[in-house]
């Protein structure tokens, strides 16, 4: 009997498919790597199993960090297995090639990346001699409930329908490879021209995203605070006091973005107005207008990530992983990796059924309060066909994120927070607008000086009721005045203020900027118009931000994202080389738009790839042909004087150099140090400290010539031979050989600290690390290393001994977070799966059980505890 092989993206999804199909297709038998019955074989990948690579004749093994072999633009791509997933790949290949398997169903995630995962596996499994000749169909799932999975099998898509998406998926992957490999190798070669190794990664989406953050930081650094004054007056009316703010009714917007109608730019003018109005009568005019606000559209992934970051401080990556768990594990949300904020027009009945579930099910904890709003929406007939919610033209391959028909059972606190956000938005979007009465009161003195007071009263909460807002008399805080009443200016407060620079990006605002291809867009409609030209896709934006942090281009401090010196250096380089393609968010957004056009069958794959190849060639040619000594840029002048002559030290592209006491170089003493010692960029504050104290560290993030990371102190030492100061690494005489890769290392004078957890060789002290004897020297066969200093915490040999013997150290208390700069406690443990030393944290103390209480009080207490 012939069978159909179903390939899911993850094992958990394969199990869900088996559970959904069992009632209609019969019981499945479980095997090591698949499930099987008379009709189907069900297995899965674990994400990507293969990666694209240049064919052997185009692949550069040696000298890849030089210009000699660039650009690399192969005519086609080969596939290489990803080492850690080889077993799973081989099992799938065996199943695909089984003679009784005559058809395939792609059940990977419903999107560009899921399409690529399946297509590459299928390509890898195709024999060299010829095609598989096994028809492919596509299972497209928006929800993971059993009913939705069975419905998906009733509506399988043909392979022909999916070819445009497959083309876009391959183009995205190949374009990223071409730009990433060529750009990274070219910029690394350029930055390593003077010796050493300075890994400089660039990417098709990563670099324009970084450009957005760097440009904002440049504005912040260049901002010069300007003094201005505001006037606030208190007025005595018959019914009580109210406050008003001075403004100029004749003011109009101009090119000076810092000017406002309520700002005065000299203290003399502010004092003069204050003196003129104090104690004077004011004539009051008032206008009250009704106003309404509607709920925002349903959530797509980027909007959900932005709001979760603003409300809870969740990173984009955290929000995606929580949403994915609510979709895959709990089955309570629809597919989260979506860029649409609308539902299909035939989903009205589903929306009503979902509201019915929310109204009738016993939702856990604080979620229970949402039931009454769901019941009201049904009772009042709020859920009806409206273009604000149901619009086929605005549904891509996926629709907005909404709750499924499955009620949540056991959610963690953070899962419940995100689920609550989605449910509230789903209900609120159907409720009527909130109605306010907005009052604008003008108090005019001597028919010359104007003060404005605003009041806003919630008249009908509408959709705001879902968020706990109700009509509240406390909102009516504006004391009433009688028609034609004259009030008295009782007091005037002159406030001295300063203009502020633009705010740094948070993940919420950066996601918005990525969505609008560099334009920070708050308006929903405008943002929607730009959505198809965004940087990356909703599914990849979180990974892009995390990648920039991993590569040390950005730091997280609280909720702010701060670009590092390495980021500024990259932007200076790309601008100086005139490789603007890599820094312009709008252009990369345009590529994303073209990929979306390709998905719709409106653009040919060959045309897009030709454009990417041309851009890659231009980028490499610019870097290869640059022959000037420095790169033009906006460079700093240090506050700390030259250690040799006391002159002015200035930054250029590669170095910090003395320019003499004159500052123009005419009397320079020759002192200079490199900006990127050991492949790590100096931050400005660090180089100031280094010149002042003649030492700094230990610092992390250095790289040896072979690319190994290491930690070291830096010392500024006087060298009589050159009659000047120079920079040296200071990690002990015995360890200087750590820089001399490839030379034999003699450990005979040391006692072993224990067996290597990877290869059972001996572990010894070596330089700034504890290393396996087989990870250094002439023949390297192992890569086990761990630092003597980790996040400023010294790791004593006795702790390494304990780590190697027991699998983890004692609790160490002086780690300092790179992100928050705060101390934290952790164990160091060896993770066999990861193959490296990782942090392990103390288990949190459990909460005391709550006493029995009536149901409503218990729910309220639970809500307070979780909040």
């Amino acid at each position: 009997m012939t069978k159909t092989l179903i390939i899911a993206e993850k094992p958990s999804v394969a199990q869900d498919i088996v559970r959904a199909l069992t009632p209609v297709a019969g019981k499945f038998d479980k095997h090591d790597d698949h499930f099987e019955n008379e009709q189907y074989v069900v297995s899965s990948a674990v994400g990507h199993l293969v990666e694209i690579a240049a064919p052997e004749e185009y692949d550069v093994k040696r000298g890849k960090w030089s210009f000699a072999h660039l650009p690399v633009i192969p005519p086609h791509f080969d596939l290489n297995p990803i080492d850690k997933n080889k077993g799973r790949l081989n099992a799938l290949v065996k199943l695909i090639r089984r003679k009784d398997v005559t058809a395939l169903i792609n059940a990977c995630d419903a999107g560009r990346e899921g399409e690529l995962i399946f297509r590459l596996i299928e390509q890898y499994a195709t024999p060299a001699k010829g095609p598989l000749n096994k028809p492919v169909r596509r299972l497209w799932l928006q929800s993971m409930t059993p009913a939705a999975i069975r419905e998906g099998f009733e509506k399988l898509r043909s392979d022909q329908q999916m070819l445009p998406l497959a083309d876009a998926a391959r183009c995205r992957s190949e374009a990223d490879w071409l730009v990433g490999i060529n750009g990274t190798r070219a910029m690394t070669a350029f930055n390593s021209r003077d010796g050493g190794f300075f890994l400089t990664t660039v990417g098709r989406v990563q670099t324009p995203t970084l450009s957005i953050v760097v440009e904002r930081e440049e504005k912040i650094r260049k901002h010069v605070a300007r003094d201005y004054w505001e006037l606030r007056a208190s007025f005595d009316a018959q019914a009580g006091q109210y406050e008003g703010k001075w403004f100029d009714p004749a003011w109009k917007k101009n090119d000076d973005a810092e000017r406002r109608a309520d700002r005065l730019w000299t203290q003399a003018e502010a004092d003069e107005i204050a003196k003129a109005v104090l104690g004077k009568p004011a004539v009051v005019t008032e206008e009250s207008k009704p106003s309404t606000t509607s709920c925002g559209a349903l959530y797509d992934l980027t909007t959900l990530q932005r709001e979760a970051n603003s409300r809870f401080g969740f990173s984009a990556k955290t929000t995606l992983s929580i949403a994915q768990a609510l979709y895959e594990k709990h089955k309570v949300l629809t597919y989260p990796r979506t860029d649409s904020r609308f539902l299909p027009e035939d989903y009205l009945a589903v929306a009503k059924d979902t509201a019915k579930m929310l109204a009738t099910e016993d939702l856990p904890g604080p979620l229970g309060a949402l039931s009454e709003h769901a019941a009201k929406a049904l009772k009042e007939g709020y859920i009806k066909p409206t273009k604000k919610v149901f619009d086929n033209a605005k549904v891509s391959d996926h629709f907005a994120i909404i709750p499924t028909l499955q009620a949540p059972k056991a959610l963690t606190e953070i899962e419940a927070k995100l689920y609550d956000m989605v449910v509230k938005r789903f209900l609120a979007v159907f409720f009527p607008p909130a109605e306010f009465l907005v009052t604008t009161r003008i108090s005019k003195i001597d028919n010359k000086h104007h003060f404005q007071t605003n009041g806003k009263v919630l008249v009908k909460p509408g959709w705001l009721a879902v968020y706990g807002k109700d009509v509240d008399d406390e909102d009516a805080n504006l004391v009433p005045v009688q028609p034609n009443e004259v009030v008295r200016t009782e007091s005037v407060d002159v406030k001295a203020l300063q203009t502020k620079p633009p705010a740094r990006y948070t993940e919420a605002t950066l996601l918005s900027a990525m969505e609008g291809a560099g334009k920070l867009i708050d308006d929903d409609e405008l943002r929607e118009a730009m959505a198809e030209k965004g940087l990356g896709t909703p599914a990849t934006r979180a990974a892009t931000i995390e990648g920039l942090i991993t590569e040390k281009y950005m730091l997280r401090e609280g909720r702010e994202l701060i670009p590092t010196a390495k980021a500024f250096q990259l932007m200076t380089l790309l601008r100086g080389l005139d490789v603007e393609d890599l820094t312009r968010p709008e252009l990369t957004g345009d590529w994303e738009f073209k990929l979306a056009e390709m998905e719709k069958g409106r653009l040919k794959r060959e045309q897009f790839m030709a454009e990417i190849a041309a851009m890659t060639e231009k980028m490499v040619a610019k870097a290869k042909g640059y022959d000037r000594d420095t790169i033009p840029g906006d460079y700093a002048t240090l506050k700390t004087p030259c250690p040799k002559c006391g002159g002015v030290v200035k930054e250029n592209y590669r170095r910090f150099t003395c320019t003499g006491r004159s500052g123009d170089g005419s009397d320079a003493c020759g002192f200079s140090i490199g900006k990127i010692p050991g492949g790590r960029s100096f931050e400005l504050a660090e180089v100031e400290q280094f010149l002042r104290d003649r030492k700094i560290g230990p610092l992390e993030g250095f790289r040896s010539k072979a690319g190994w990371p290491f930690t070291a102190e830096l010392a500024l030492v006087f060298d009589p031979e050159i009659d000047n100061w120079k920079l040296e690494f200071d990690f002990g005489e015995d360890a200087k050989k750590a820089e001399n890769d490839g030379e034999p290392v003699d450990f005979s004078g040391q006692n072993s600290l224990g067996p290597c957890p990877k290869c059972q060789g001996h572990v010894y002290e070596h330089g700034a690390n504890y290393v396996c004897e087989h990870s250094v020297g002439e023949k390297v066969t192992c890569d086990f290393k761990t630092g003597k200093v980790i996040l400023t915490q010294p790791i004593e040999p006795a702790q390494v001994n304990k780590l190697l013997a027991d699998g983890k150290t004692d609790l160490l208390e002086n780690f300092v977070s790179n992100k928050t700069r705060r101390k934290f406690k952790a164990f160091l443990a060896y993770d066999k799966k990861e193959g490296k030393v990782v942090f392990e944290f103390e288990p949190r103390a459990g909460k005391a059980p709550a006493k029995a209480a009536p149901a409503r009080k218990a729910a309220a207490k639970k809500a307070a505890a979780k909040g």
Side-chain angles (χ1 to χ4, degrees):
M1 179 181 278
T2 60
K3 300 188 179 189
T4 298
L5 171 62
I6 302 166
I7 299 177
E9 192 164 318
K10 302 176 200 73
S12 61
V13 178
Q15 289 175 334
D16 290 337
I17 289 171
V18 166
R19 277 194 284 267
L21 289 181
T22 297
V24 292
K27 187 174 176 298
F28 284 78
D29 294 324
K30 189 177 186 306
H31 299 266
D32 286 346
D33 46 41
H34 67 279
F35 301 87
E36 189 167 352
N37 70 5
E38 290 185 0
Q39 190 177 349
Y40 295 113
V41 179
V42 183
S43 190
S44 76
V46 278
H48 281 279
L49 302 185
V50 291
E51 57 191 357
I52 62 171
E56 190 68 34
E57 62 269 29
Y58 285 85
D59 194 19
V60 181
K61 295 287 192 293
R62 293 188 175 277
K64 69 178 181 181
W65 302 113
S66 77
F67 285 116
H69 305 287
L70 295 178
V72 183
I73 303 178
H76 67 276
F77 286 91
D78 287 344
L79 299 179
N80 286 337
I82 295 171
D83 283 344
K84 65 177 183 178
N85 298 332
K86 259 186 179 174
R88 175 68 67 165
L89 177 62
N90 292 337
L92 275 179
V93 169
K94 204 179 279 184
L95 292 173
I96 290 169
R97 291 181 177 176
R98 259 174 53 171
K99 285 202 170 69
D100 61 337
V101 168
T102 57
L104 307 176
I105 293 177
N106 173 6
C108 292
D109 282 2
R112 197 193 286 167
E113 216 54 29
E115 196 66 26
L116 184 66
I117 287 169
F118 175 84
R119 296 281 171 173
L120 295 184
I121 293 168
E122 182 197 18
Q123 182 184 333
Y124 186 83
T126 301
K129 292 177 184 175
L132 276 169
N133 289 326
K134 298 187 180 185
V136 175
R137 284 175 297 165
R138 184 66 154 104
L139 176 67
W140 197 261
L141 297 178
Q142 304 281 17
S143 167
M144 291 301 296
T145 62
I149 292 171
R150 286 192 287 272
E151 187 183 348
F153 271 93
E154 288 167 16
K155 299 177 180 177
L156 290 171
R157 300 183 181 186
S158 71
D159 192 46
Q160 197 63 32
Q161 279 177 279
M162 304 313 299
L163 286 178
L165 181 65
D167 278 349
R170 286 185 187 274
C171 281
R172 197 280 308 155
S173 175
E174 291 171 13
D176 283 351
W177 191 97
L178 286 171
V179 174
I181 291 288
N182 286 285
T184 296
R185 289 180 182 182
M187 299 312 145
T188 301
F190 188 94
N191 279 332
S192 306
R193 271 176 169 172
D194 294 344
F197 177 76
F198 184 43
L199 180 62
T200 310
T201 58
V202 298
R204 187 181 63 87
V205 176
Q206 165 191 308
T207 304
T209 301
L210 183 62
S211 171
I212 294 170
V213 181
V214 168
E215 281 180 20
R216 173 65 57 87
E217 194 71 17
E218 286 171 339
K219 285 180 185 171
I220 292 168
R221 290 183 182 185
K222 286 175 184 171
H223 180 263
V224 178
R226 293 160 66 184
D227 295 328
Y228 71 93
W229 286 261
E230 286 183 353
L231 289 178
R232 291 179 186 273
S234 280
F235 297 98
D236 272 343
Q238 291 172 26
Q241 272 194 354
Y242 66 90
E243 193 179 80
K245 190 179 188 184
W246 177 90
F247 75 103
D248 177 4
W251 178 84
K252 286 181 180 166
K253 275 187 180 179
N254 57 28
D255 292 339
D256 187 345
E258 290 183 333
R259 290 198 171 269
R260 306 272 196 283
D262 56 5
R263 290 180 177 180
L264 292 157
W265 294 94
T266 66
Q267 183 163 5
E269 191 180 2
D271 289 342
E272 187 185 332
I273 295 172
K275 190 177 174 184
V277 301
L278 184 62
K280 292 281 185 74
V283 177
V284 180
T285 55
E286 191 170 84
E287 188 179 24
S288 293
K289 286 183 178 176
S291 169
T292 62
T293 64
S294 295
C295 176
L298 295 168
Y299 286 123
D300 62 4
L301 177 59
T302 303
T303 316
L304 184 66
Q305 287 170 320
R306 282 172 41 229
E307 292 194 19
N309 181 254
S310 298
R311 286 184 60 187
F312 308 122
F314 293 167
S315 71
K317 179 183 177 185
T318 298
T319 299
L320 175 55
S321 65
I322 298 167
Q324 199 70 22
L326 290 168
Y327 163 67
E328 265 181 36
K329 179 183 169 189
H330 298 288
K331 320 286 188 296
V332 296
L333 285 191
T334 56
Y335 185 74
R337 295 168 184 253
T338 174
D339 60 357
S340 175
R341 302 184 69 183
F342 295 83
L343 298 176
E345 289 165 18
D346 60 1
Y347 247 61
L348 181 64
V350 176
K352 286 180 178 175
D353 288 344
T354 305
K356 208 172 290 176
M357 179 278 290
L358 293 168
T360 55
E361 287 284 347
D362 186 17
L363 301 177
L367 295 170
L370 298 173
S371 296
E372 62 179 275
H373 300 301
K376 184 173 183 180
L378 290 165
K379 183 184 172 190
E380 302 291 337
Y382 289 160
I383 302 173
K384 52 196 172 195
T386 163
K387 283 289 184 184
K388 184 185 173 182
V389 181
F390 304 98
D391 191 343
N392 286 347
K394 292 175 181 174
V395 173
S396 57
D397 290 322
H398 311 290
F399 50 72
I401 304 169
I402 62 169
T404 66
L405 294 170
Q406 189 140 321
K409 292 290 182 274
L411 304 182
T412 65
E413 185 178 342
I414 59 172
E415 287 171 343
K417 279 181 174 177
L418 206 69
Y419 183 73
D420 176 77
M421 277 180 68
V422 175
V423 171
K424 279 179 176 168
R425 179 59 63 92
F426 169 74
L427 293 172
V429 81
F430 293 109
F431 271 61
E435 295 179 20
F436 296 89
L437 188 65
V438 178
T439 302
T440 304
R441 178 179 297 171
I442 306 295
S443 306
K444 194 188 299 183
I445 301 157
D446 292 338
N447 209 28
K448 181 180 178 184
H449 301 298
H450 300 73
F451 288 79
Q452 183 169 311
T453 309
N454 296 312
K456 189 176 182 181
V457 179
L458 182 61
V459 179
K460 288 184 181 175
W463 66 274
L464 286 174
V466 178
Y467 289 86
K469 295 276 171 67
D470 206 344
V471 175
D472 191 340
D473 289 338
E474 286 179 23
D475 283 343
N477 53 11
L478 189 56
V479 299
V481 291
Q482 301 305 314
N484 303 316
E485 183 179 346
V486 176
V487 300
R488 180 177 172 274
T489 315
E490 193 270 331
S491 66
V492 186
D493 183 21
V494 179
K495 287 186 114 176
L497 300 163
Q498 283 192 323
T499 58
K500 292 179 180 175
R504 282 198 175 110
Y505 280 107
T506 62
E507 287 204 36
T509 54
L510 182 56
L511 284 165
S512 183
M514 291 174 77
E515 190 176 35
K519 296 174 181 66
L520 192 57
I521 300 167
D522 291 321
D523 183 89
D524 277 354
E525 286 182 22
L526 271 179
R527 190 166 53 246
E528 189 188 316
M530 284 296 294
E532 286 196 330
K533 290 198 174 191
L535 275 174
T537 64
T540 61
R541 285 173 192 142
T544 299
I545 293 170
E546 292 299 323
L548 288 167
I549 291 167
T550 301
E551 289 295 336
K552 303 290 190 290
Y553 282 122
M554 291 193 313
L555 299 171
R556 265 197 200 98
E557 284 197 0
R559 294 192 185 185
E560 292 184 335
L561 297 171
I562 303 172
T564 62
K566 184 179 179 183
F568 279 92
Q569 191 151 9
L570 175 61
M571 289 305 132
T572 299
L573 174 60
L574 296 175
R575 290 168 190 164
L577 294 177
D578 191 27
V579 190
E580 61 179 358
D581 291 357
L582 263 181
T583 64
R584 283 179 48 208
E586 298 87 347
L587 184 67
T588 309
D590 195 46
W591 295 346
E592 207 65 56
F593 173 70
K594 286 174 180 173
L595 289 172
E597 289 291 281
M598 197 180 301
E599 288 178 17
K600 295 165 189 164
R602 298 174 191 157
L603 180 71
K604 292 289 182 196
R605 164 169 157 74
E606 296 74 22
Q607 184 185 336
F608 178 81
M609 290 311 300
E611 286 179 27
I612 296 291
M615 193 208 78
T616 304
E617 286 170 340
K618 176 190 165 189
M619 173 178 60
V620 172
K622 292 267 190 184
K624 202 186 272 193
Y626 195 87
D627 57 0
R628 278 164 280 169
D629 291 337
T630 187
I631 297 279
D634 184 13
Y635 295 115
T637 298
L638 300 189
K639 295 171 188 166
T640 312
C642 167
K644 172 85 187 295
C645 71
V648 179
V649 178
K650 291 186 177 178
E651 175 192 14
N652 61 37
Y653 181 68
R654 297 190 185 281
R655 307 186 73 76
F656 294 101
T657 302
C658 174
T659 57
R661 290 182 180 275
S662 63
D664 62 7
S666 59
D667 54 344
C669 69
F671 168 76
S672 78
I673 57 170
K675 283 169 67 176
I676 45 175
R680 180 193 186 278
S681 296
F682 265 126
E683 298 294 330
L684 281 177
E686 290 174 345
V687 78
E688 298 272 18
Q689 181 188 336
F690 183 53
L691 295 185
R692 185 178 64 245
D693 301 342
R694 308 286 195 265
K695 65 177 183 180
I696 193 169
L699 301 174
E700 294 185 310
F702 297 108
R703 286 181 185 271
S704 69
K705 289 167 192 167
W708 285 109
F710 67 92
T711 301
E713 291 188 19
L714 297 178
L716 197 60
V717 297
F718 189 78
D719 184 345
E721 280 189 34
I722 61 169
D723 187 33
N724 215 323
W725 295 81
K726 69 177 185 180
L727 178 153
E728 283 189 356
F729 284 97
D730 183 9
F731 33 36
E733 287 302 313
D734 62 324
K736 287 192 178 173
K737 59 195 169 196
E739 285 290 281
N740 301 325
D741 297 291
E743 293 187 10
V745 181
D746 182 12
F747 291 118
S748 60
Q750 286 193 50
N751 291 324
S752 169
L753 293 167
C756 169
K758 279 198 159 183
C759 72
Q760 302 306 304
H762 292 289
V763 173
Y764 298 102
E765 289 186 50
H766 180 65
N769 297 299
Y770 298 102
V771 304
C772 171
E773 61 186 329
H774 301 131
S775 71
V776 293
E778 292 176 293
K779 293 182 180 176
V780 173
T781 57
C782 180
D783 63 358
F784 178 77
K785 289 188 180 191
T786 187
K788 284 185 180 177
V789 179
I790 297 175
L791 296 181
T792 78
Q793 164 78 58
I795 313 299
E796 301 298 331
Q799 291 298 335
V800 178
N801 193 275
K802 190 172 175 62
L803 171 72
L804 299 174
D806 304 338
K808 75 177 178 181
T809 64
D810 295 330
L811 186 67
L812 305 175
E813 301 196 352
N814 292 309
F815 295 107
V816 177
S817 167
N818 269 337
K819 295 175 188 174
T820 64
R821 304 286 190 262
R822 291 180 186 154
K823 280 192 174 184
F824 67 91
K825 295 187 281 190
F827 303 94
L828 291 179
Y830 182 73
D831 186 321
K832 286 182 182 174
K833 192 175 174 186
E834 294 285 329
K836 64 182 181 182
V837 176
V838 298
F839 291 117
E840 193 175 291
F841 298 97
E842 286 182 290
R844 288 188 180 179
K847 291 182 183 175
K851 291 179 182 175
R856 186 169 293 193
K857 285 185 180 176
K861 284 183 180 178
K862 197 170 179 186
K866 288 197 172 187

